[in-house]
Amino acid sequence: EVQLVESGGGLVQAGGSLRLSCAASGLNFDDYAIAWFRQAPGKPREEIAGISSEDYIYYGDSAKGRFTISSDNAKNTVVLQMNSLKPEDTAVYYCAARLESITTSPLAYDYWGQGTQVTVSS
């Protein structure tokens, strides 16, 4: 059974940092692209960063310059380091997996975690 488990969310003040982790099990981690999405109330799910099986990295406009995605293949974990957080970053953050390549469409991802809440206060 494939499982993706997010951790590291919480409440932080504007300008602060959080480090989200996505731990994967039940799949051949080296073959999968892992992406981070977020969804705020009333808004569509948005891809903010992803890393492919060949370590190609994508950042959405909202993440560029503030967020860093990295992969620890030995631990089957993808980390999203989020700095300079803003109130508009408040959302539920999900990690998702699909074979090989990154795509921005959430419909293309086969596996999802349960999500972790990030709340940024002003």
Side-chain angles (χ1 to χ4, degrees), residues 6-12 18 20 36 39-41 82 87 89-94 114-120:
E6 303 98 335
S7 61
L11 174 64
V12 65
L18 283 174
L20 305 184
W36 284 95
Q39 189 164 23
M82 305 190 296
D89 294 318
T90 296
V92 179
Y93 284 68
Y94 300 90
Q114 80 288 350
T116 186
Q117 177 70 46
V118 170
T119 303
V120 184

Side-chain angles (χ1 to χ4, degrees), residues 5-25:
V5 180
E6 303 98 335
S7 61
L11 174 64
V12 65
Q13 289 188 331
S17 298
L18 283 174
R19 183 179 175 91
L20 305 184
S21 292
C22 174
S25 61

Side-chain angles (χ1 to χ4, degrees), residues 91-107:
V92 179
Y93 284 68
Y94 300 90
C95 65
R98 69 186 300 269
L99 280 171
E100 297 183 355
S101 62
I102 302 167
T103 176
T104 58
S105 170
L107 297 176

Side-chain angles (χ1 to χ4, degrees), residues 5-78:
V5 180
E6 303 98 335
S7 61
L11 174 64
V12 65
Q13 289 188 331
S17 298
L18 283 174
R19 183 179 175 91
L20 305 184
S21 292
C22 174
S25 61
L27 51 75
N28 189 351
F29 189 77
D30 292 347
D31 292 338
Y32 278 77
I34 306 292
W36 284 95
F37 288 78
R38 69 184 183 188
Q39 189 164 23
K43 294 188 177 181
R45 195 163 291 192
E46 170 195 13
E47 184 175 9
I48 51 174
I51 184 165
S52 76
S53 61
E54 296 184 352
D55 291 336
Y56 171 78
I57 289 176
Y58 163 85
Y59 291 108
D61 289 341
S62 58
K64 289 176 182 176
R66 299 188 300 131
F67 297 176
T68 302
I69 190 170
S70 60
S71 176
D72 184 341
N73 287 13
K75 296 182 179 179
N76 285 10
T77 298
V78 170

